[in-house]
Amino acid sequence: MKLIIINGPNLNLLGRREPEVYGNQSFEDYFATLQFKFKTTQLEYFQSNIEGGIIDKLHEVGFSYDGIILNAAAYTHTSVGIGDAVKAIEAPVVEVHISNTFKREDYRHHSYISAGAKGVIVGFGLQSYDLAIQSLIA
């Protein structure tokens, strides 16, 4: 099984950015943990602070990978383009958020991605990615 995690803007700063919200661990360190845990699954990782880069990656992998775990971060709430890309591809997409977006600002309560996603996992910290992988390999 071939899966990719796609992270959006500012998630390259995990471990340093707002640790009270996002924790103290870098995503690269956590990704190594996921690779160890899911040894029989081919896991890849891509991060971009640029909306078009995320759309391009979805187009690139969306017809050949078995699943996509997408944390579009702030673009979740603003990008019709990313939402349309999720609907346009064949691979199932699980939308993930580290924090509970519904406990945050009102504008974070709407997602342009959810309507095209297989499911949404919100608020379990980095473990949200683990849960998303489990949902795709089950």
Side-chain angles (χ1 to χ4, degrees):
M1 177 159 272
K2 190 173 185 180
L3 305 177
I4 187 169
I5 295 170
I6 300 175
N7 276 344
N10 301 309
L11 292 172
N12 56 306
L13 298 177
L14 287 177
R16 296 182 288 176
R17 171 190 177 210
E18 299 178 80
E20 67 281 359
V21 176
Y22 299 105
N24 294 311
Q25 189 174 24
S26 74
F27 193 79
E28 291 75 14
D29 289 345
Y30 185 69
F31 184 66
T33 302
L34 291 174
Q35 288 178 304
F36 181 78
K37 181 174 182 177
F38 298 100
K39 290 177 185 169
T40 61
T41 302
Q42 183 179 341
L43 285 176
E44 295 180 24
Y45 169 57
F46 174 81
Q47 189 277 329
S48 180
N49 292 316
I50 301 167
E51 181 178 17
I54 295 167
I55 293 169
D56 288 344
K57 184 55 84 170
L58 287 166
H59 291 175
E60 177 189 328
V61 302
F63 296 94
S64 58
Y65 283 51
D66 299 305
I68 299 167
I69 296 102
L70 175 61
N71 184 343
Y75 288 138
T76 301
H77 321 291
T78 63
S79 180
V80 173
I82 293 175
D84 286 348
V86 167
K87 291 177 185 174
I89 61 177
E90 294 174 356
V93 174
V94 177
E95 179 183 346
V96 164
H97 298 284
I98 296 167
S99 68
N100 182 346
T101 56
F102 297 100
K103 290 178 80 172
R104 299 183 67 192
E105 302 91 344
D106 287 345
Y107 68 86
R108 295 187 195 272
H109 298 179
H110 176 75
S111 167
Y112 285 101
I113 295 163
S114 297
K118 174 185 177 186
V120 181
I121 300 171
V122 176
F124 292 97
L126 290 174
Q127 186 181 2
S128 297
Y129 294 93
D130 186 312
L131 296 169
I133 293 167
Q134 289 181 51
S135 76
L136 288 166
I137 63 175

